[in-house]
Amino acid sequence: MHYIFDFGWVWEYGPIIFNGLLITVELTLVGAVVGVLLGVLCAWARTLGPRMLRPPVAAYVELIRNTPFMIQLFFIFFGLPSLGVRFSELQAANLAMIINLGAYSCEIIRAGIEATPKGQFEAGAALALKPLQTFRLVVLVPALQRIWPALSSQIVIVMLGSAVVSQIAAEDVTFAANFIQSRTFRAFEAYMLSTAIYLALAIILRQLLALVGRRIFPKVPAR
């Protein structure tokens, strides 16, 4: 069997591909920034926050970590309108990614906080810092430094998982690939191109996150 590759349609559908790329990048940026901030808040609540916050935050984390991302996305986009809460495709995709990454990053960051030596908490108390100040100024940065590689990997995983948002017609890279193959019937080439785009995005995102880690976290001098 001889298969003839044909990528002649790339220029014709270039704007659709580029738009899908922009939406995937936008979803990743919003999901990463807001999702990690949510994860920090939840990690604080589970480790150092008021006891009454711990059960609901724990329930949220377990619910999200033990249900498929696609179901969470469908619940937001298709389920919530039954209660009168409606989101556009892009809003639902953003919200689902934020909620999903928030739960996973919470557990990753919590591990970093729990690995913090007690001496750092004692140092904060000795400086007359309030609990939130101790967390923000003394505990959080070293904790993030310890778990940054794991957190970076989770952000990349969420970016790759964003491919399912095409199921609610969010016009990301996968939506563009589906649209192109439905018009050209060149499924192999369309999905080969989308695979290459996701691979490039994952590599670039890992490098950017590594660069951010080197910039914001001080290096520990060798002894």
Side-chain angles (χ1 to χ4, degrees):
M1 179 178 179
H2 298 284
Y3 186 83
I4 300 174
F5 290 93
D6 180 11
F7 288 94
W9 45 264
V10 169
W11 298 113
E12 179 183 355
Y13 293 100
I16 296 174
I17 298 170
F18 184 68
N19 182 67
L21 174 61
L22 289 181
I23 289 179
T24 296
V25 170
E26 187 270 340
L27 287 171
T28 302
L29 287 176
V30 174
V33 173
V34 185
V36 169
L37 288 176
L38 177 61
V40 169
L41 291 175
C42 290
W44 167 79
R46 292 202 69 181
T47 54
L48 304 172
R51 290 189 177 275
M52 67 179 188
L53 289 180
R54 297 179 187 181
V57 172
Y60 152 66
V61 170
E62 291 304 312
L63 174 65
I64 298 302
R65 293 176 69 229
N66 291 288
T67 54
F69 175 64
M70 183 178 289
I71 296 299
Q72 298 162 19
L73 178 67
F74 283 2
F75 178 81
I76 292 171
F77 188 70
F78 296 116
L80 290 182
S82 301
L83 304 178
V85 181
R86 301 181 185 277
F87 296 99
S88 68
E89 295 87 355
L90 198 56
Q91 289 171 337
N94 268 319
L95 182 58
M97 290 181 66
I98 289 168
I99 291 173
N100 187 270
L101 181 58
Y104 281 93
S105 62
C106 169
E107 289 301 277
I108 295 172
I109 296 168
R110 184 166 72 98
I113 294 172
E114 291 179 345
T116 301
K118 291 184 178 180
Q120 290 186 254
F121 293 96
E122 294 170 355
L127 293 171
L129 297 177
K130 296 179 180 179
L132 278 178
Q133 290 178 315
T134 301
F135 174 75
R136 183 170 60 88
L137 300 174
V138 180
V139 176
L140 182 58
V141 173
L144 286 175
Q145 186 175 20
R146 278 189 289 271
I147 54 83
W148 190 252
L151 186 60
S152 298
S153 294
Q154 188 59 47
I155 292 172
V156 173
I157 289 171
V158 170
M159 183 276 290
L160 296 175
S162 71
V164 304
V165 304
S166 62
Q167 298 298 310
I168 62 170
E171 299 178 0
D172 69 330
V173 170
T174 303
F175 179 92
N178 291 337
F179 180 84
I180 291 168
Q181 74 87 21
S182 71
R183 296 299 187 276
T184 64
F185 301 103
R186 309 298 299 189
F188 190 85
E189 290 90 336
Y191 293 120
M192 178 184 290
L193 178 60
S194 64
T195 299
I197 291 173
Y198 280 115
L199 176 61
L201 285 175
I203 293 172
I204 293 170
L205 182 57
R206 285 185 188 278
Q207 294 299 319
L208 287 175
L209 290 170
L211 177 62
V212 169
R214 289 194 295 270
R215 289 293 180 88
I216 65 177
F217 299 125
K219 289 186 178 180
V220 178
R223 299 195 176 195

